[in-house]
Amino acid sequence: MSEAGGGRGCGSPIPQRAPWSLVAATAVLCLVSVTSVWTAGAAPMSKEEKQKLGNQVLEMFDHAYGNYMEHAYPADELMPLTCRGRVRGQEPSRGDVDDALGKFSLTLIDSLDTLVVLNKTKEFEDAVRKVLKDVNLDNDVVVSVFETNIRVLGGLLGGHSLAIMLKEKGEYMQWYNDELLQMAKQLGYKLLPAFNTTSGLPYPRINLKFGIQKPEARTGTETDTCTACAGTLILEFAALSRFTGATIFEEYARKALDFLWEKRQRSSNLVGVTINIHTGDWVRKDSGVGAGIDSYYEYLLKAYVLLGDDSFLERFNTHYDAIMRYISQPPLLLDVHIHKPMLNARTWMDALLAFFPGLQVLKGDIRPAIETHEMLYQVIKKHNFLPEAFTTDFRVHWAQHPLRPEFAESTYFLYKATGDPYYLEVGKTLIENLNKYARVPCGFAAMKDVRTGSHEDRMDSFFLAEMFKYLYLLFADKEDIIFDIEDYIFTTEAHLLPLWLSTTNQSVYKKNTTSEYTELDDSNFDWTCPNTQILFPNDPSYAQSIREPLKNVVDKSCPRGIIRVEESFRSGAKPPLRARDFMATNPEHLEILKKMGVSLIHLKDGRVQLVQHAIQAASSIDAEDGLRFMQEMIELSSQQQKEQQLPPRAVQIVSHPFFGRVVLTAGPAQFGLDLSKHKETRGFVASSKPYNGCSELTNPEAVVGKIALIQRGQCMFAEKARNIQNAGAIGGIVIDDNEGSSSDTAPLFQMAGDGKDTDDIKIPMLFLFSKEGSIILDAIREYEEVEVLLSDKAKDRDPEENEEQPSPENDSQNQSAEQITSSFQDFDLVDQESPEESSPNSSPESSESLSPAEMDSATSISPSKQNSDPTENHETASPNGECTDLDNQRQQQSETEEDSSPNVSWGKKAQPIDSILADWNEDIEAFEMMEKDEL
Ligand code: DMJ
């Protein structure tokens, strides 16, 4: 590593408010200055092993990129299960996720600078030629301004930055004449109409051909955008301005940032997740460092590094201070309300926040970075990947994992800052898990459910832009990279922008320097580059000593609420109102609820949700009662869910050439062999005749001893099961007849019985949507003999290591415990479609009874009457911050702090009911907004 041992930059103090150019250079250099001092902790990794791992990353990249180029290009992305390109409009819409796809060969552009980092210069040269020849930026397609900026504009600029670097070196790219930059400029101008708002905040979407608001544009009516969407433009836009001399881009991006800064919540210095682009009102007032806000913070700090403008650092430091005060609860990072920052807004964290430790390294705050990273690593060790969301007691909340790179990013930066070989081992685990669980014959497939190991037909472009870059750089020595990486800054999509831009075309910066920031009290801010010599004073075991106390934080955490309630049950205490007696229509009950700090929220779909805020209870005793009541309600609810719900299952193709690498998400049946209790069923598949399986099979010889494929429709599921069982099948897979249906876009079902006794059905039955089913049917067409494994969780793909995966019992325990602890966040999930809604074309099936099943980690949708029967399962919400010991501490801390607040009357019974109600309404409003939350 360059500058090891605290050479130039971090070793030398930087004068207060150093000239920006020096700060820009040193802020980056400081990341690399301590790698030589590490001697203890994890055993050092040999050069050979590092090299081996680096080569493995190269091979994996070739597998991902090669398959994209062979089977998907010029489409935007590869669909690795069906081995074809994802073309927008030709696949069922996935909602907002598709807004990244602009028919501009997204993956190719996003991969450009990765090719150079991975020393694939020849391939880079070819890829640039392809971009120039094939890519059209003028498509009639509505795209996300944010995604297009970070992936496409950033990709073109990163490609340009390295193209000119290579050209200057004199061997490659000699023909290059700024063509990528010209494309970037063209794209920049296409994005500019999005900024045509009074606030200067951009519209979230734009039509590449028609811009905004024209009737043909089909966009421009949106009123809201996410903070990250509006606040993650400055690096690309400023680079574009500085590369081209066209100042307008930097001006617009600065204006949007200025507006967001103005709108920060002044008492907490936090920003919300969603803002109205016309009025500047916060639409969602919850605040964290993950989804919706993440890269806004990242860009403030990096804009300071790249542009050397102090105002960005001042803003970043102000926000950072607030984040560390309210959101950081080491090792957790928990969302709070901007107007009540001591109040947690959620009891779960999302996977996007995994970038934050990396940003903390750049800031120089290593301790919390190590802590959060360690916590995340333990979650990964438990589930192989970081689930999209997980609760404060580390259970899966949203089970997908689209191969996000944020954790690899933080691992890389922590390794650079600490030199601790532990982080190399972490990287090795990431590589192993990707190969073991996500690699499929045609690329790498996102995880549909980290618990079952099932896949989604999706390989996002950021996987190539970021994951391989960070993993490769983690194991690379300086001489493995053909340029000096320290001369560049990483954008949020890991595109590389040269630091020399800070001294080029600074006209915008000069024009926009304001004096506003002098009013801030910045006496506590660090104006110097964090000096890692001081961070790790002769103590090579520094990082290890921080991780040590956290080493079992994930395994040992236990829901605090449950412990407390169990204790109180032991002591015989009961809430004044028992959950089983509660009637939502009884005014007396509602009064008691209010006293206990429990609010009742009537959801749009007619269900009722309960949320408790201990600080809103009339007294601490009422708060305790409320807690017991909530716990009882949660238990009642989860008991019912347990009775009604079965987790998703997996169909794994184990024959050549899949060898267990393709795992399909399957719906379970409420009858037949329970795969969670019995060993998996393995067998070759055969189609039944008749294909609908509704009468005695005419081809029993074909299905005997095999797993029969049957089409959905015409008769009851149980009838199909009996017919194939009678023909000698050892299992059955029902394939949806609703063409194009997929578990990517529709909620899973569990197949219900026929209302009669189904004990005679002994074989396992699983349900696949049409898209997943056709993967098996295609495989039969191509390979004839196709063997599958029906199980509750994908089995180890490597025959050498046939160890049992974490036991199904544990997993189902996890499932129910998840339901207990994740209830607060149910708002985000209440809009799930009912089975009928999701399959409007399935009328022939009407006699079959499908029950909605909660297949993801989310909680179930219960019958929706607001009546008195608690067994009809009113959704409940756990009290804020009740889930871990760490949380417990935080809760106490929050209570103490609230104590001193004039508005809150913890234990003093002083808060007037009006103000409690007003608070409730505010919270309800905020929660209702959270309903719209999407990652
Ligand atoms: C990437 O596109 C960027 O890192 C972005 O900032 C948010 N996350 C995705 C990958 O997870």
Side-chain angles (χ1 to χ4, degrees), residues 110 146-147 150-151 228 232 291 294-296 298-299 351-352 355 388 402-406 409 460-463 465-466 470 491-494:
D110 227 2
F146 164 79
E147 298 290 0
I150 65 168
R151 302 197 202 194
T232 310
D294 47 4
S295 44
Y296 161 64
E298 177 183 359
Y299 270 35
L352 287 164
F355 90 103
E388 274 298 71
L403 309 181
R404 289 198 188 279
E406 284 78 4
E409 175 184 350
D460 289 73
S461 69
F462 53 67
F463 183 57
E466 300 191 59
Y470 289 124
T491 69
T492 192
E493 188 80 357

Side-chain angles (χ1 to χ4, degrees), residues 384-459:
N384 301 324
F385 297 97
L386 203 56
E388 274 298 71
F390 52 96
T391 60
T392 47
D393 59 343
F394 311 112
R395 293 168 203 277
V396 174
H397 179 47
W398 288 353
Q400 305 98 303
H401 170 76
L403 309 181
R404 289 198 188 279
E406 284 78 4
F407 182 77
E409 175 184 350
S410 284
T411 305
Y412 164 65
F413 284 113
L414 269 168
Y415 178 62
K416 294 203 84 175
T418 64
D420 183 345
Y422 176 81
Y423 296 109
L424 296 176
E425 296 297 334
V426 173
K428 187 176 170 187
T429 306
L430 298 184
I431 290 175
E432 282 167 4
N433 288 351
L434 281 171
N435 278 325
K436 207 161 163 185
Y437 303 108
R439 190 176 178 129
V440 294
C442 191
F444 289 84
M447 305 308 293
K448 169 96 188 154
D449 187 325
V450 296
R451 295 163 306 170
T452 60
S454 59
H455 292 134
E456 228 179 309
D457 201 2
R458 136 175 206 200
M459 185 177 85

Side-chain angles (χ1 to χ4, degrees), residues 17 102 260 320 381 447 724:
R17 296 183 187 254
L260 287 174
Y320 189 77
K381 283 198 279 191
M447 305 308 293
I724 61 166

Side-chain angles (χ1 to χ4, degrees), residues 386 534 803:
L386 203 56
I534 296 166
E803 280 170 34

Side-chain angles (χ1 to χ4, degrees), residues 532-543:
T532 41
Q533 294 291 293
I534 296 166
L535 287 170
F536 305 99
N538 301 321
D539 180 6
S541 61
Y542 176 74

Side-chain angles (χ1 to χ4, degrees), residues 76-115:
D76 283 318
E77 285 180 346
L78 170 72
M79 297 172 71
L81 297 182
T82 44
C83 208
R84 62 201 161 104
R86 181 182 293 283
V87 180
R88 199 159 160 201
Q90 287 179 19
E91 303 295 330
S93 165
R94 300 173 301 166
D96 292 354
V97 186
D98 284 341
D99 290 344
L101 313 177
K103 302 190 176 177
F104 35 35
S105 302
L106 176 66
T107 302
L108 179 66
I109 294 180
D110 227 2
S111 304
L112 286 177
D113 51 10
T114 307
L115 288 164

